[in-house]
Amino acid sequence: MHAQYGHNHQGADATYAVHNVKCIFRLPDSISYDEGAIIDPASIALHVARRGNISPGDTVAITGAGAIGMLAADAARICGAARVVVVGRGYRLKKAGALGSETVDSEAGDPVAEVRELTGGLGADVVLECAGVPQTLTWAMAMLRKGGRCAMVGIPTEDVLLACKSLVLDELELVGSRASAGEMRRVMPFVADGRMQVGELITHRFPLVEYEKALATFNDRSSGAMKIIVNP
């Protein structure tokens, strides 16, 4: 496995950090530094949408209303989705609705039944699993129409028990999506023209001297934080 900052290699929270030239991309003049800080998750969202093999006119459901989930909603529309339904809860779900997606509140009832009702009983053509918990993956597979495909970018911290009967009889597909694979360059024009709404996800800004406060704010779900910018 290659060295990845913050995962299997010491993070970049330092005065200097060394990156391979293959991981460095020129930021267009039309994209601000704050927006540029969200390019990485935007590229991950575009990759999971592409792994979903979305076709023009598809109905796409997204489990998880975090930053990746909301950017995946934009990516799904970029790939041609006619309808995008985000499944989540709380203020993040409201934000997803404000950014143009249909929404399903996972705390208001059975989200699988709600998605099927929205699709006339057929289910979603594609589900992008962006939450990374066992329950949401179970929902994602159950939301698919026959022959549907789930692309999974969220990583549960525990094993998931899946019912394989429908996987076989309904010819469902489940594929993994790891980070991005060439989407960094592809996503920048979509950020520049506003189709990937990265700026809408920035909820807080802090100077570097308040880094500890920024981290505490991010970890506090009651703060309403989505993406936090720390400016040097």
Side-chain angles (χ1 to χ4, degrees):
M1 185 174 174
H2 68 280
Q4 188 171 2
Y5 284 122
H7 291 269
N8 65 335
H9 196 72
Q10 195 71 287
D13 183 15
T15 304
Y16 298 99
V18 178
H19 280 274
N20 189 299
V21 68
K22 295 179 181 178
C23 300
I24 298 174
F25 303 88
R26 184 186 182 280
L27 195 67
D29 294 338
S30 58
I31 297 177
S32 69
Y33 286 127
D34 284 4
E35 292 171 325
I38 320 294
I39 292 290
D40 178 65
S43 70
I44 294 170
L46 183 59
H47 185 54
V48 71
R50 296 181 73 210
R51 288 286 286 157
N53 281 357
I54 297 168
S55 298
D58 275 352
T59 294
V60 177
I62 296 171
T63 49
I68 295 292
M70 277 191 263
L71 291 169
D74 284 343
R77 285 185 280 267
I78 289 167
C79 290
R83 297 180 68 186
V84 177
V85 182
V86 175
V87 179
R89 57 191 173 87
Y91 69 88
R92 293 183 174 183
L93 186 65
K94 292 180 181 178
K95 185 67 174 179
L99 293 180
S101 297
E102 298 177 61
T103 60
V104 169
D105 189 341
S106 60
E107 294 183 323
D110 180 356
V112 175
E114 182 69 17
V115 169
R116 290 203 166 273
E117 183 178 347
L118 288 172
T119 56
L122 296 175
D125 299 294
V126 177
V127 178
L128 307 179
E129 207 304 285
C130 301
V133 296
Q135 187 178 42
T136 55
L137 177 58
T138 302
W139 290 342
M141 297 302 292
M143 289 172 185
L144 288 171
R145 65 161 174 80
K146 291 182 179 181
R149 181 181 177 99
C150 174
M152 180 181 181
V153 67
I155 305 176
T157 57
E158 56 188 288
D159 292 338
V160 182
L161 183 64
L162 286 178
C164 291
K165 182 179 179 180
S166 60
L167 185 73
V168 174
L169 298 183
D170 293 341
E171 293 193 334
L172 304 179
E173 295 181 65
L174 173 61
V175 299
S177 177
R178 176 183 171 182
S180 59
E183 281 84 6
M184 193 74 77
R185 284 190 179 89
R186 292 187 178 99
V187 81
M188 287 188 188
F190 300 133
V191 172
D193 69 14
R195 281 187 282 175
M196 191 69 83
Q197 305 171 81
V198 297
E200 295 289 340
L201 304 185
I202 300 172
T203 54
H204 298 74
R205 290 176 173 83
F206 292 92
L208 184 58
V209 294
E210 295 183 6
Y211 181 86
E212 185 176 357
K213 182 178 179 181
L215 188 60
T217 301
F218 180 77
N219 289 329
D220 180 8
R221 287 294 292 265
S222 67
S223 70
M226 287 293 298
K227 281 296 183 182
I228 291 177
I229 299 296
V230 178
N231 290 303

